[in-house]
Amino acid sequence: MQRDKVLSIITIACFCSIILIPLGIALMWFMTSWQKKRKIIISSASGLLYIALVALILLIEPSYNTGGVSLPFKYSGGETAYDAPANPGRPSKKEKKISPASDKKQKSEKTAGNSDEERIPRSVKRQSGRTLGRAFYVFLFFLVLLILILWRNFRAAGKKSDYENPYVDTNLYKLPFTAESKIPLVHFQRLKLNQNEKILYATESVQKDNEGDFVVTDQRAVIFSQTGTVELPISTLTAVLSVSNSVMQLNAAGDEGEQKYYIFLPENQMKYALAIIRWIAASPRSSQ
């Protein structure tokens, strides 16, 4: 049980790291005892998250829009070689003395032009920002979804695995049972045994507002609850099955016909209760 807890914590840490999601999926499938349905859901969600992360890093490229981009030079109406004066010794009429104010104005225009040239166009900024924004929201959605699934699974798994049978060490049961199987000692004091009767299994029942115990001997199945005690001889049982992961149904023949009884058990105790009843019912040990 402790080993399963440690592996579950390591698996969840791999999922939370995002980068180690493939390792987390492998550990979840091969090293944990989580339900298969939850494994499929977590694998799907984490796989999509990992694919989205890879696409965000490798596949998304910034798109460039050249519309409206200023060219790296600025034209001003200056002279060309064709506008040179005919007499180089005499100044042309076009050549005028530049005043300090106009010179300052031209310098400021050049400085503004250079800064505009170095500035990234707004259209490119808007488009790249929208792309990154969408990718971030997709990534955040899958991350929150994965955390919720892991939290719910860990909480449910903790509830199941935390229950320890107070009457018998279930690790000593070796399933499936055979004619040579040895039954461990069960410490249950509430049941008065018949002659040569032996308790084979006992556990607590967990029906809300009707908690009690469930005991199986080599002669009978006994249901203790707050409403009373029901004893079912093994020879009268006609069927035993699990209605759900935590509810077992016993069918017993009686004077008024077949009766059905439902016992609410901890999920990690269901397989032992079913195996014990089926084994003793098929065994010649049960009293007739």
Side-chain angles (χ1 to χ4, degrees), residues 9 17 50 55 70 111 157 165 205 218 237-238 269 274 282 288:
I9 293 172
S17 67
Y50 194 74
S70 59
T111 305
N165 194 317
S205 59
D218 55 0
L237 296 180
T238 58
Q269 298 296 306
L274 289 174
Q288 304 296 329

Side-chain angles (χ1 to χ4, degrees), residues 211-224:
E211 293 82 359
D213 295 299
F214 178 67
V215 185
V216 180
T217 72
D218 55 0
Q219 298 179 14
R220 51 186 168 160
V222 184
I223 305 170
F224 293 91

Side-chain angles (χ1 to χ4, degrees), residues 65-173:
N65 183 8
T66 57
V69 178
S70 59
L71 298 176
F73 58 85
K74 188 172 182 181
Y75 173 76
S76 61
E79 293 181 350
T80 62
Y82 298 98
D83 296 330
N87 190 352
R90 300 175 63 184
S92 173
K93 294 180 179 180
K94 294 182 180 181
E95 294 179 5
K96 297 181 181 180
K97 188 176 180 180
I98 302 174
S99 65
S102 61
D103 183 52
K104 186 177 180 180
K105 184 177 180 181
Q106 289 181 2
K107 287 182 179 179
S108 62
E109 290 176 356
K110 289 181 180 180
T111 305
N114 292 333
S115 62
D116 289 337
E117 293 165 9
E118 295 174 359
R119 195 176 300 150
I120 299 175
R122 293 182 180 177
S123 58
V124 176
K125 284 186 177 180
R126 291 196 194 100
Q127 193 163 0
S128 59
R130 290 171 185 169
T131 303
L132 291 176
R134 293 192 192 109
F136 173 76
Y137 285 123
V138 172
F139 174 80
L140 185 62
F141 169 76
F142 282 114
L143 179 61
V144 172
L145 180 63
L146 180 60
I147 291 175
L148 289 175
I149 294 174
L150 289 174
W151 175 77
R152 183 177 179 182
N153 182 82
F154 187 68
R155 185 180 178 186
K159 287 182 178 179
K160 295 176 207 170
S161 59
D162 285 346
Y163 177 81
E164 293 185 6
N165 194 317
Y167 306 123
V168 60
D169 184 2
T170 54
N171 293 322
L172 299 178
Y173 290 104

Side-chain angles (χ1 to χ4, degrees), residues 44-86:
S44 303
S46 60
L48 290 174
L49 174 61
Y50 194 74
I51 292 173
L53 179 63
V54 172
L56 178 64
I57 296 176
L58 300 179
L59 302 181
I60 295 181
E61 298 180 357
S63 57
Y64 298 97
N65 183 8
T66 57
V69 178
S70 59
L71 298 176
F73 58 85
K74 188 172 182 181
Y75 173 76
S76 61
E79 293 181 350
T80 62
Y82 298 98
D83 296 330

